[in-house]
mmCIF file of all heavy atoms in Angstrom:
data_model
loop_
_atom_site.group_PDB
_atom_site.id
_atom_site.type_symbol
_atom_site.label_atom_id
_atom_site.label_comp_id
_atom_site.label_asym_id
_atom_site.label_seq_id
_atom_site.Cartn_x
_atom_site.Cartn_y
_atom_site.Cartn_z
ATOM 1 N N MET A 1 250.567 120.995 -6.825
ATOM 2 C CA MET A 1 250.906 120.306 -8.108
ATOM 3 C C MET A 1 251.450 118.925 -7.759
ATOM 4 O O MET A 1 252.617 118.756 -7.473
ATOM 5 C CB MET A 1 251.937 121.134 -8.873
ATOM 6 C CG MET A 1 252.079 120.720 -10.307
ATOM 7 S SD MET A 1 253.380 121.612 -11.208
ATOM 8 C CE MET A 1 252.827 123.304 -11.046
ATOM 9 N N ILE A 2 250.608 117.948 -7.800
ATOM 10 C CA ILE A 2 250.983 116.579 -7.460
ATOM 11 C C ILE A 2 251.779 115.938 -8.600
ATOM 12 O O ILE A 2 251.495 116.168 -9.767
ATOM 13 C CB ILE A 2 249.722 115.745 -7.150
ATOM 14 C CG1 ILE A 2 248.945 116.382 -6.011
ATOM 15 C CG2 ILE A 2 250.078 114.318 -6.798
ATOM 16 C CD1 ILE A 2 247.585 115.768 -5.748
ATOM 17 N N PHE A 3 252.775 115.170 -8.269
ATOM 18 C CA PHE A 3 253.683 114.593 -9.241
ATOM 19 C C PHE A 3 252.917 113.809 -10.325
ATOM 20 O O PHE A 3 253.395 113.782 -11.473
ATOM 21 C CB PHE A 3 254.674 113.637 -8.554
ATOM 22 C CG PHE A 3 255.783 114.367 -7.859
ATOM 23 C CD1 PHE A 3 256.568 113.680 -6.902
ATOM 24 C CD2 PHE A 3 256.065 115.686 -8.119
ATOM 25 C CE1 PHE A 3 257.602 114.316 -6.256
ATOM 26 C CE2 PHE A 3 257.115 116.326 -7.462
ATOM 27 C CZ PHE A 3 257.868 115.665 -6.515
ATOM 28 N N PHE A 8 251.342 118.703 -13.553
ATOM 29 C CA PHE A 8 252.758 118.501 -13.364
ATOM 30 C C PHE A 8 253.427 117.938 -14.621
ATOM 31 O O PHE A 8 254.528 118.288 -14.966
ATOM 32 C CB PHE A 8 253.005 117.544 -12.205
ATOM 33 C CG PHE A 8 254.479 117.318 -11.967
ATOM 34 C CD1 PHE A 8 255.242 118.231 -11.277
ATOM 35 C CD2 PHE A 8 255.116 116.175 -12.493
ATOM 36 C CE1 PHE A 8 256.597 118.027 -11.064
ATOM 37 C CE2 PHE A 8 256.481 115.978 -12.274
ATOM 38 C CZ PHE A 8 257.252 116.914 -11.590
ATOM 39 N N PHE A 11 254.024 120.810 -16.881
ATOM 40 C CA PHE A 11 255.075 121.623 -16.274
ATOM 41 C C PHE A 11 256.460 120.998 -16.460
ATOM 42 O O PHE A 11 257.426 121.647 -16.894
ATOM 43 C CB PHE A 11 254.767 121.793 -14.774
ATOM 44 C CG PHE A 11 255.969 122.173 -13.939
ATOM 45 C CD1 PHE A 11 256.376 123.519 -13.851
ATOM 46 C CD2 PHE A 11 256.639 121.226 -13.179
ATOM 47 C CE1 PHE A 11 257.458 123.877 -13.067
ATOM 48 C CE2 PHE A 11 257.716 121.579 -12.369
ATOM 49 C CZ PHE A 11 258.140 122.906 -12.323
ATOM 50 N N LEU A 34 263.223 129.424 -11.579
ATOM 51 C CA LEU A 34 261.849 129.744 -12.012
ATOM 52 C C LEU A 34 260.923 128.561 -11.908
ATOM 53 O O LEU A 34 259.740 128.704 -11.489
ATOM 54 C CB LEU A 34 261.877 130.274 -13.447
ATOM 55 C CG LEU A 34 262.507 131.652 -13.676
ATOM 56 C CD1 LEU A 34 262.613 131.977 -15.163
ATOM 57 C CD2 LEU A 34 261.737 132.728 -12.923
ATOM 58 N N ALA A 35 261.423 127.371 -12.244
ATOM 59 C CA ALA A 35 260.621 126.171 -12.080
ATOM 60 C C ALA A 35 260.282 125.933 -10.623
ATOM 61 O O ALA A 35 259.128 125.546 -10.303
ATOM 62 C CB ALA A 35 261.391 124.951 -12.657
ATOM 63 N N ASN A 36 261.241 126.146 -9.727
ATOM 64 C CA ASN A 36 260.970 125.981 -8.293
ATOM 65 C C ASN A 36 259.870 126.951 -7.822
ATOM 66 O O ASN A 36 259.010 126.597 -7.040
ATOM 67 C CB ASN A 36 262.277 126.257 -7.514
ATOM 68 C CG ASN A 36 263.376 125.254 -7.811
ATOM 69 O OD1 ASN A 36 263.124 124.205 -8.415
ATOM 70 N ND2 ASN A 36 264.596 125.600 -7.429
ATOM 71 N N ILE A 37 259.996 128.180 -8.300
ATOM 72 C CA ILE A 37 259.014 129.203 -7.901
ATOM 73 C C ILE A 37 257.606 128.845 -8.387
ATOM 74 O O ILE A 37 256.605 128.942 -7.660
ATOM 75 C CB ILE A 37 259.429 130.602 -8.454
ATOM 76 C CG1 ILE A 37 260.715 131.072 -7.765
ATOM 77 C CG2 ILE A 37 258.318 131.614 -8.255
ATOM 78 C CD1 ILE A 37 261.314 132.302 -8.381
ATOM 79 N N VAL A 38 257.518 128.410 -9.637
ATOM 80 C CA VAL A 38 256.210 128.020 -10.215
ATOM 81 C C VAL A 38 255.622 126.825 -9.449
ATOM 82 O O VAL A 38 254.460 126.829 -9.084
ATOM 83 C CB VAL A 38 256.356 127.695 -11.710
ATOM 84 C CG1 VAL A 38 255.055 127.093 -12.265
ATOM 85 C CG2 VAL A 38 256.715 128.954 -12.518
ATOM 86 N N PHE A 39 256.467 125.827 -9.219
ATOM 87 C CA PHE A 39 255.989 124.622 -8.530
ATOM 88 C C PHE A 39 255.518 124.925 -7.128
ATOM 89 O O PHE A 39 254.404 124.512 -6.723
ATOM 90 C CB PHE A 39 257.102 123.560 -8.478
ATOM 91 C CG PHE A 39 256.734 122.309 -7.795
ATOM 92 C CD1 PHE A 39 256.068 121.306 -8.466
ATOM 93 C CD2 PHE A 39 257.038 122.106 -6.458
ATOM 94 C CE1 PHE A 39 255.701 120.114 -7.833
ATOM 95 C CE2 PHE A 39 256.673 120.926 -5.805
ATOM 96 C CZ PHE A 39 256.019 119.941 -6.495
ATOM 97 N N TYR A 40 256.344 125.631 -6.361
ATOM 98 C CA TYR A 40 255.996 125.909 -4.931
ATOM 99 C C TYR A 40 254.870 126.943 -4.850
ATOM 100 O O TYR A 40 253.963 126.826 -4.013
ATOM 101 C CB TYR A 40 257.217 126.373 -4.202
ATOM 102 C CG TYR A 40 257.073 126.328 -2.713
ATOM 103 C CD1 TYR A 40 256.842 125.145 -2.037
ATOM 104 C CD2 TYR A 40 257.169 127.496 -1.933
ATOM 105 C CE1 TYR A 40 256.687 125.101 -0.658
ATOM 106 C CE2 TYR A 40 257.035 127.474 -0.570
ATOM 107 C CZ TYR A 40 256.803 126.262 0.068
ATOM 108 O OH TYR A 40 256.661 126.227 1.475
ATOM 109 N N GLY A 41 254.920 127.965 -5.710
ATOM 110 C CA GLY A 41 253.884 128.953 -5.698
ATOM 111 C C GLY A 41 252.541 128.461 -6.150
ATOM 112 O O GLY A 41 251.515 129.040 -5.786
ATOM 113 N N TYR A 42 252.535 127.360 -6.885
ATOM 114 C CA TYR A 42 251.259 126.758 -7.320
ATOM 115 C C TYR A 42 250.410 126.347 -6.131
ATOM 116 O O TYR A 42 249.173 126.410 -6.167
ATOM 117 C CB TYR A 42 251.577 125.563 -8.245
ATOM 118 C CG TYR A 42 250.346 124.909 -8.808
ATOM 119 C CD1 TYR A 42 249.753 125.398 -9.989
ATOM 120 C CD2 TYR A 42 249.741 123.815 -8.190
ATOM 121 C CE1 TYR A 42 248.614 124.777 -10.509
ATOM 122 C CE2 TYR A 42 248.614 123.206 -8.715
ATOM 123 C CZ TYR A 42 248.037 123.683 -9.871
ATOM 124 O OH TYR A 42 246.940 123.089 -10.409
ATOM 125 N N TRP A 43 251.096 125.869 -5.055
ATOM 126 C CA TRP A 43 250.360 125.451 -3.867
ATOM 127 C C TRP A 43 249.725 126.661 -3.151
ATOM 128 O O TRP A 43 248.562 126.591 -2.828
ATOM 129 C CB TRP A 43 251.267 124.725 -2.906
ATOM 130 C CG TRP A 43 251.858 123.459 -3.448
ATOM 131 C CD1 TRP A 43 253.077 123.297 -4.034
ATOM 132 C CD2 TRP A 43 251.266 122.180 -3.490
ATOM 133 N NE1 TRP A 43 253.269 122.012 -4.422
ATOM 134 C CE2 TRP A 43 252.155 121.277 -4.109
ATOM 135 C CE3 TRP A 43 250.044 121.673 -3.021
ATOM 136 C CZ2 TRP A 43 251.872 119.924 -4.302
ATOM 137 C CZ3 TRP A 43 249.750 120.337 -3.222
ATOM 138 C CH2 TRP A 43 250.671 119.467 -3.844
ATOM 139 N N ASP A 44 250.519 127.693 -2.958
ATOM 140 C CA ASP A 44 250.042 128.946 -2.328
ATOM 141 C C ASP A 44 251.130 129.978 -2.518
ATOM 142 O O ASP A 44 252.242 129.828 -2.000
ATOM 143 C CB ASP A 44 249.766 128.719 -0.825
ATOM 144 C CG ASP A 44 248.989 129.861 -0.202
ATOM 145 O OD1 ASP A 44 249.217 131.000 -0.604
ATOM 146 O OD2 ASP A 44 248.136 129.603 0.654
ATOM 147 N N LEU A 116 253.846 124.622 3.261
ATOM 148 C CA LEU A 116 254.163 123.289 2.764
ATOM 149 C C LEU A 116 255.661 123.055 2.739
ATOM 150 O O LEU A 116 256.440 123.900 2.257
ATOM 151 C CB LEU A 116 253.563 123.129 1.370
ATOM 152 C CG LEU A 116 253.607 121.733 0.751
ATOM 153 C CD1 LEU A 116 252.592 120.844 1.492
ATOM 154 C CD2 LEU A 116 253.241 121.796 -0.731
ATOM 155 N N SER A 151 265.391 125.705 -2.675
ATOM 156 C CA SER A 151 264.013 125.575 -3.124
ATOM 157 C C SER A 151 263.795 124.519 -4.171
ATOM 158 O O SER A 151 262.722 124.476 -4.823
ATOM 159 C CB SER A 151 263.536 126.936 -3.691
ATOM 160 O OG SER A 151 264.274 127.280 -4.867
ATOM 161 N N PHE A 153 262.586 121.976 -6.483
ATOM 162 C CA PHE A 153 261.188 121.557 -6.448
ATOM 163 C C PHE A 153 260.919 120.053 -6.241
ATOM 164 O O PHE A 153 259.945 119.698 -5.570
ATOM 165 C CB PHE A 153 260.466 122.052 -7.679
ATOM 166 C CG PHE A 153 260.718 121.272 -8.948
ATOM 167 C CD1 PHE A 153 259.926 120.165 -9.268
ATOM 168 C CD2 PHE A 153 261.732 121.585 -9.814
ATOM 169 C CE1 PHE A 153 260.156 119.431 -10.376
ATOM 170 C CE2 PHE A 153 261.988 120.866 -10.943
ATOM 171 C CZ PHE A 153 261.188 119.755 -11.240
ATOM 172 N N PRO A 154 261.743 119.126 -6.778
ATOM 173 C CA PRO A 154 261.348 117.712 -6.583
ATOM 174 C C PRO A 154 261.260 117.298 -5.128
ATOM 175 O O PRO A 154 260.464 116.412 -4.786
ATOM 176 C CB PRO A 154 262.482 116.955 -7.305
ATOM 177 C CG PRO A 154 262.998 117.884 -8.319
ATOM 178 C CD PRO A 154 262.926 119.243 -7.637
ATOM 179 N N GLN A 155 262.117 117.912 -4.252
ATOM 180 C CA GLN A 155 262.097 117.426 -2.916
ATOM 181 C C GLN A 155 261.732 118.467 -1.844
ATOM 182 O O GLN A 155 261.855 118.227 -0.641
ATOM 183 C CB GLN A 155 263.466 116.826 -2.538
ATOM 184 C CG GLN A 155 264.681 117.558 -3.072
ATOM 185 C CD GLN A 155 265.001 118.859 -2.387
ATOM 186 O OE1 GLN A 155 264.889 119.926 -3.001
ATOM 187 N NE2 GLN A 155 265.331 118.795 -1.112
ATOM 188 N N ILE A 156 261.210 119.638 -2.282
ATOM 189 C CA ILE A 156 260.912 120.685 -1.301
ATOM 190 C C ILE A 156 259.777 120.338 -0.408
ATOM 191 O O ILE A 156 259.734 120.756 0.773
ATOM 192 C CB ILE A 156 260.672 122.031 -2.038
ATOM 193 C CG1 ILE A 156 260.658 123.164 -1.001
ATOM 194 C CG2 ILE A 156 259.380 121.992 -2.835
ATOM 195 C CD1 ILE A 156 260.576 124.541 -1.596
ATOM 196 N N THR A 157 258.802 119.563 -0.871
ATOM 197 C CA THR A 157 257.636 119.283 -0.033
ATOM 198 C C THR A 157 257.777 118.104 0.908
ATOM 199 O O THR A 157 257.185 118.094 1.985
ATOM 200 C CB THR A 157 256.375 119.071 -0.907
ATOM 201 O OG1 THR A 157 256.589 117.975 -1.758
ATOM 202 C CG2 THR A 157 256.080 120.297 -1.749
ATOM 203 N N TYR A 240 257.214 108.515 -2.566
ATOM 204 C CA TYR A 240 257.516 109.937 -2.884
ATOM 205 C C TYR A 240 258.983 110.136 -3.134
ATOM 206 O O TYR A 240 259.363 110.813 -4.125
ATOM 207 C CB TYR A 240 257.059 110.858 -1.751
ATOM 208 C CG TYR A 240 257.332 112.332 -2.038
ATOM 209 C CD1 TYR A 240 256.303 113.096 -2.563
ATOM 210 C CD2 TYR A 240 258.544 112.903 -1.859
ATOM 211 C CE1 TYR A 240 256.513 114.422 -2.900
ATOM 212 C CE2 TYR A 240 258.781 114.226 -2.224
ATOM 213 C CZ TYR A 240 257.783 114.976 -2.720
ATOM 214 O OH TYR A 240 258.000 116.291 -3.069
#
Side-chain angles (χ1 to χ4, degrees):
M1 195 184 301
I2 301 172
F3 284 163
F8 180 81
F11 160 82
L34 289 175
N36 298 344
I37 292 171
V38 171
F39 179 85
Y40 195 61
Y42 182 86
W43 297 96
D44 193 322
L116 190 70
S151 64
F153 77 89
Q155 41 72 246
I156 191 172
T157 60
Y240 182 95

